[in-house]
Amino acid sequence: METALFSPAALFRGDDSDGDTDTDLSPSLSGSEQKQKQKQKQQQEEEEPFVERTHSFPHLQLKIREFSFHHLNANLLWPGTFAFSHWLLDHQSLLHFRRILELGSGTGALAIFLTKSLQLDITTSDYDDLQIEQNIAHNCASNGLPPLPHIRHTWGEQFPSSKPDWELIIASDILLYVKQYPNLIKTLCFLLKAYQPQDQKVGTPKTSITVSGEEIELEAPVFVMSWRRRIGKEDEQLFFRGCEKEGLTVRHVGSRVYCITVGASVQRQGMISCRQ
């Protein structure tokens, strides 16, 4: 088993860069040499469909099996997950929302970390793909957990549950494909607008988080997302404008961490203007 030793900087563009080209081939290689290197990489991925690595999370190490390649980009555990895990631990009052759904779970590492660390009720979800679901279950077993509840759902299609009751929805590094933004927003709108509290007698759960000395009151359901992947600022605004158009409120609550809710369920002071 490998220990992950990569640097996040190797996978992320700097915050002020607008480029979106990503390559692992040296520009000094000739065309034939680059093709040969690509062929060798493809052969290796076909021979070794998985790689298992040990990843360090706050106060915890996890054994995570990753796809060498996956056509839906669910193959790797991206470093943005680690930054988000730290942010969530620093804002644990948000986790008072006990029922949690993760979108774009990939390997399931973040959900496994939160379950082992804080004993939360987390459901994973990703594209309607059996391999992804089986790999998450494998990673749960590798880290001493029974399989987490999982939903196979393709963004934009009808959601399997007609009455979503998740108080908190989380996601990390899911804004890679701009063409999927409308589908993601459609799914997100359903989860936020069709929400029904699990216990109707108790009513809608509420909590608050403190950001830069300011207390922000939140009412379920809440979507909190983080990303460190290589996307341009124009693409970020495209997603935000799409959310705003559907009546959602977006607020910046940390370094590349955003809170999205329905209407005024988050205080509006400091709200992002998606039209800037």
Side-chain angles (χ1 to χ4, degrees):
M1 178 177 297
E2 298 181 11
T3 299
L5 297 174
F6 55 80
S7 166
L11 295 174
F12 303 149
R13 164 175 40 82
D15 288 352
D16 296 330
S17 171
D18 289 328
D20 59 2
T21 300
D22 201 5
T23 180
D24 62 355
L25 297 178
S26 170
S28 63
L29 295 178
S30 67
S32 60
E33 289 174 327
Q34 289 186 4
K35 289 181 180 180
Q36 181 63 27
K37 186 174 181 179
Q38 287 178 322
K39 184 177 180 180
Q40 291 174 348
K41 182 179 179 181
Q42 183 178 358
Q43 289 176 341
Q44 182 179 9
E45 290 170 347
E46 291 174 352
E47 294 171 359
E48 301 176 7
F50 297 102
V51 59
E52 290 198 353
R53 298 187 175 97
T54 299
H55 290 279
S56 295
F57 282 80
H59 317 296
L60 188 66
Q61 286 195 328
L62 297 180
K63 299 175 182 177
I64 300 297
R65 187 177 74 173
E66 305 166 60
F67 293 99
S68 297
F69 169 80
H70 193 278
H71 68 289
L72 298 172
N73 204 42
N75 51 318
L76 294 176
L77 173 53
W78 297 101
T81 301
F82 305 104
F84 194 33
S85 66
H86 280 279
W87 188 91
L88 288 170
L89 288 186
D90 289 340
H91 299 83
Q92 287 193 41
S93 60
L94 185 64
L95 300 176
H96 290 169
F97 292 143
R98 302 299 296 182
R99 286 185 51 74
I100 301 173
L101 172 69
E102 184 186 18
L103 298 180
S105 298
T107 63
L110 179 61
I112 292 170
F113 164 72
L114 291 173
T115 301
K116 288 183 69 70
S117 298
L118 302 171
Q119 292 75 53
L120 301 177
D121 178 2
I122 301 181
T123 297
T124 59
S125 70
D126 212 307
Y127 189 86
D128 187 359
D129 180 86
L130 180 59
Q131 282 189 316
I132 296 175
E133 180 178 9
Q134 291 176 334
N135 194 48
I136 292 176
H138 173 91
N139 286 330
C140 287
S142 295
N143 291 281
L145 292 177
L148 295 174
H150 181 79
I151 294 176
R152 290 162 59 179
H153 170 66
T154 300
W155 296 340
E157 296 184 0
Q158 183 175 352
F159 202 79
S161 172
S162 62
K163 298 179 179 180
D165 60 358
W166 293 281
E167 301 157 358
L168 176 64
I169 305 161
I170 59 175
S172 176
D173 288 332
I174 63 171
L175 294 185
L176 182 60
Y177 299 115
V178 176
K179 290 183 179 180
Q180 287 298 319
Y181 287 2
N183 290 329
L184 171 57
I185 292 172
K186 182 178 179 180
T187 290
L188 188 56
C189 283
F190 170 77
L191 292 171
L192 295 177
K193 295 180 179 181
Y195 165 78
Q196 296 187 18
Q198 189 177 43
D199 189 340
Q200 297 285 346
K201 295 181 180 179
V202 174
T204 303
K206 299 180 181 180
T207 190
S208 64
I209 59 173
T210 301
V211 178
S212 300
E214 177 185 7
E215 186 174 3
I216 303 174
E217 295 182 356
L218 298 169
E219 181 178 289
V222 175
F223 174 54
V224 179
M225 60 178 293
S226 171
W227 74 88
R228 304 280 172 171
R229 297 290 295 277
R230 304 182 177 196
I231 62 173
K233 292 180 180 179
E234 292 184 0
D235 291 341
E236 293 179 10
Q237 289 301 312
L238 183 63
F239 175 74
F240 292 147
R241 286 194 295 269
C243 290
E244 183 184 56
K245 183 179 179 181
E246 296 299 327
L248 303 181
T249 296
V250 182
R251 181 177 176 118
H252 181 225
V253 294
S255 177
R256 296 275 180 132
V257 181
Y258 293 85
C259 175
I260 300 178
T261 59
V262 176
S265 58
V266 60
Q267 66 178 55
R268 299 183 67 83
Q269 182 180 358
M271 184 183 68
I272 286 179
S273 172
C274 297
R275 301 187 187 279
Q276 61 188 2

